[in-house]
Amino acid sequence: MSGRFIVFEGGEGVGKSTQSQLLAKALRARGLEVVTTREPGGTPGAEAIRALVLASVGPTWSVRAEALLFAAARADHVETLIRPALARGAWVLCDRYLDSSRAYQGGGSGLQDADIMALHRIGSEALLPDVTVLLTLDPAEAAARVERRDEGALDRIGGRAADYHARVAAAFLRYAAEDPARFAVIAAEGAPEAVHARVLAAIGAA
Ligand code: TYD
């Protein structure tokens, strides 16, 4: 038996990790094995790369080097955590994945989408999620949520300018429009439980 691979995507502060936790709880209540994880990170090797790329102090990298680091973290995560979990029939819920690399290093920073996809093929044998839940939220509301959560402490990428984040948001919507079979675009306005109900309906688990 093979499990299902569900990814939550979207800009900062849209509620990805909250929705991942609510979905995990709902699926576990049905007796399913659920693995929740995140990117960059999820395994010791990938978390070590996360600490490097998101630290607000220390060395910085060109966008190409940054894309390679995200792809390397993903390769470790896919090989040592995601594929084994799917192979034993678990559901894997992941906070960010490939489309974050496409949206941030591509849409935000200007790398070619084909190059990011090539890194994904080399690093992770092009493994794609079954469903990518794209959470969308008004930028002012997202910024207010981030402010409440992090009290103004932004990581190196989260702290980039508003026009960078606008390009990221537009890129996510473009990928969803190009591949409607893989994406579920969900409005993240309102209470967490209301958004959760939309997520359950979208993945066909309501
Ligand atoms: P994180 O705190 O996990 O996300 P959020 O701010 O949504 O809670 O930070 C991850 C940051 O890394 C976020 O700014 C997006 C960025 N990122 C990339 O630029 N490329 C990638 O491939 C991934 C997975 C994340």
Side-chain angles (χ1 to χ4, degrees), residues 106-165:
S109 299
L111 284 192
Q112 293 292 317
D113 195 51
D115 289 344
I116 291 167
M117 296 305 276
L119 295 183
H120 188 52
R121 183 174 47 75
I122 296 164
S124 301
E125 297 170 301
L127 178 71
L128 290 178
D130 295 299
V131 183
T132 302
V133 177
L134 174 61
L135 296 172
T136 61
L137 188 63
D138 170 62
E141 169 62 17
R145 288 187 189 179
V146 169
E147 180 65 34
R148 282 198 295 276
R149 182 190 65 185
D150 300 344
E151 293 175 338
L154 287 167
D155 63 52
R156 188 182 294 174
I157 293 175
R160 288 176 185 167
D163 66 324
Y164 182 89
H165 291 290

Side-chain angles (χ1 to χ4, degrees), residues 12 16 50 70 74 96 101 104-105 149 155 157:
E12 343 271 308
K16 297 180 295 298
R50 177 188 179 92
F70 280 114
R74 185 163 302 126
R96 298 193 181 279
S101 287
Y104 284 79
Q105 283 67 53
R149 182 190 65 185
D155 63 52
I157 293 175

